[in-house]
Amino acid sequence: MKFGVVTFPGSNCDYDAFAAVKFIIKKDVDFLWHKSESLEGSDVIILPGGFSYGDYLRPGAIARFSPIMKSVIKFARSGGIVVGICNGFQVLLESGLLPGALMRNSHLRFAHRHIYLKVENSLTPFSNACPPGKTLKIPIAHGDGNYYSFRADLEKLRDHGQIVFTYATSDGRVTPEANPNGSLMNIAGICNREGNILGMMPHPERAVEKILGSDDGVYVFNSLVAHFEKQRAATG
Amino acid sequence: MSKAKAVVYIRLKEGVLDPQGKTISQAMINMGYNEFISVRSGRFFELECETRPDLEQRIEEVCRKLLSNPVVETYRVEMIS
């Protein structure tokens, strides 16, 4: 099982994602340069956080047209596992791989602190290792994390179990006070209908050791590993 | 080579919240300009182009693919000269 972490100009969480994979879950991992079109045989692609292309125009708008994204889009459309974190989530939305848009935070301030996530769907490749009922303590760090979508699309997301994570209180109540950025329905992370593409604003790669304030992010990485192990067992 | 200029205006769709516009509007009220009921923010781009028969169609394409996010924004193109 091999991970590929894409580096765009302006990515700044690529090393965190790389380190989480290499040192915490101890899997193969390579950086994938934005100018390359090769995914180097990766089974999981991570689009990391940061400010790709300086966030010029709109976050993710220019990264979406970089050479590596041609291959990532093809990989995702054929069922490959893709995880977009923070700026990576913005890139996935701009690519049209996930529905909706991320707008400026409703209070217009950069939001950076630990929040709690409720796992709304624990049957995805990204959340299957999360203990039932446990909220995940994970940091956020973004200025444009305010998830927006049209009502009809929101209802589809909800009805098809595509809302994977919502902002909640530490005991798992999804309240307006727990919403750090104005996202509709407190949405923090969604997947596509097929369930192979995840976008999330919080940073699981920054919460992988107790010394970082939380190691709950490891559940997301462990879920990916468990998903692949199950798949391997099924195909023999 | 003949040239043309296009101005592209990007704005948020009706019904999409504009926290930036709302904050600016609040600042105007604080400054005593109470007559301004609301503010909607947007962006504009000036494009200098070589003329070609399908230029307007090409401008539409970049508006749709790159300059605007069709999920939440609309665009308007104004050809100059």
Side-chain angles (χ1 to χ4, degrees):
Chain A
M1 182 183 182
K2 187 182 166 187
F3 286 71
V5 178
V6 174
T7 302
F8 297 110
S11 293
N12 63 15
C13 299
D14 44 345
Y15 276 83
D16 304 59
F18 183 95
V21 173
K22 189 173 172 102
F23 302 116
I24 305 296
I25 58 166
K26 298 186 167 52
K27 296 289 174 193
D28 276 351
V29 55
D30 256 335
F31 287 116
L32 306 173
W33 185 236
H34 67 110
K35 281 187 176 163
S36 158
E37 285 191 28
S38 168
L39 303 182
E40 310 286 350
S42 305
D43 302 299
V44 178
I45 300 295
I46 298 181
L47 303 179
F51 298 86
S52 57
Y53 296 87
D55 268 359
Y56 292 158
L57 195 55
R58 296 178 304 280
I62 298 178
R64 170 249 179 286
F65 289 102
S66 58
I68 193 78
M69 282 309 294
K70 263 188 224 160
S71 309
V72 171
I73 290 169
K74 206 184 289 169
F75 177 76
R77 292 233 161 98
S78 61
I81 300 281
V82 176
V83 180
I85 300 166
C86 199
N87 190 232
F89 187 8
Q90 293 160 339
V91 175
L92 290 174
L93 294 168
E94 285 284 343
S95 308
L97 289 172
L98 291 173
L102 287 158
M103 315 276 294
R104 185 64 50 88
N105 293 346
S106 56
H107 47 66
L108 295 177
R109 291 188 302 277
F110 194 85
H112 52 101
R113 59 187 163 90
H114 278 92
I115 48 84
Y116 288 92
L117 291 181
K118 181 179 178 195
V119 182
E120 298 281 352
N121 182 350
S122 55
L123 300 174
T124 75
F126 320 99
S127 56
N128 61 69
C130 300
K134 179 172 167 50
T135 53
L136 309 183
K137 185 184 176 193
I138 308 256
I140 52 167
H142 59 248
D144 300 76
N146 180 354
Y147 184 80
Y148 180 88
S149 189
F150 292 104
R151 182 179 289 270
D153 291 332
L154 276 176
E155 285 168 1
K156 269 191 226 157
L157 285 178
R158 187 193 56 203
D159 295 347
H160 298 148
Q162 289 172 248
I163 301 175
V164 183
F165 301 114
T166 51
Y167 299 109
T169 59
S170 58
D171 57 347
R173 284 173 300 117
V174 180
T175 64
E177 294 72 33
N179 188 336
N181 53 30
S183 287
L184 293 178
M185 293 169 79
N186 282 37
I187 285 174
I190 58 169
C191 66
N192 59 333
R193 179 107 190 246
E194 293 73 21
N196 62 299
I197 308 169
L198 172 79
M200 65 187 295
M201 284 316 291
H203 288 274
E205 82 286 7
R206 292 192 193 175
V208 292
E209 289 178 277
K210 282 266 188 277
I211 198 172
L212 299 173
S214 167
D215 58 1
D216 288 351
V218 180
Y219 290 116
V220 175
F221 291 96
N222 281 343
S223 297
L224 290 164
V225 174
H227 171 77
F228 272 88
E229 279 169 3
K230 206 167 87 187
Q231 224 175 28
R232 192 174 304 145
T235 56
Chain B
M1 180 185 74
S2 73
K3 286 184 188 168
K5 207 171 197 181
V7 182
V8 174
Y9 297 90
I10 311 282
R11 55 169 298 165
L12 288 169
K13 285 182 181 171
E14 294 292 333
V16 175
L17 284 180
D18 177 13
Q20 195 165 258
K22 210 173 148 195
T23 305
I24 295 166
S25 162
Q26 191 55 49
M28 285 158 75
I29 290 167
N30 294 346
M31 291 161 74
Y33 295 101
N34 298 313
E35 65 274 36
F36 299 107
I37 296 160
S38 77
V39 176
R40 299 282 284 170
S41 66
R43 285 192 301 272
F44 85 101
F45 301 93
E46 284 178 355
L47 311 180
E48 197 184 356
C49 340
E50 292 174 20
T51 51
R52 48 186 281 167
D54 58 350
L55 180 61
E56 293 196 19
Q57 188 195 324
R58 304 268 289 181
I59 293 173
E60 290 276 325
E61 268 178 44
V62 290
C63 285
R64 211 173 49 241
K65 288 186 188 168
L66 181 65
L67 296 180
S68 76
N69 178 349
V71 178
V72 284
E73 294 170 331
T74 58
Y75 59 85
R76 185 167 60 82
V77 180
E78 222 170 72
M79 296 302 297
I80 290 174
S81 75

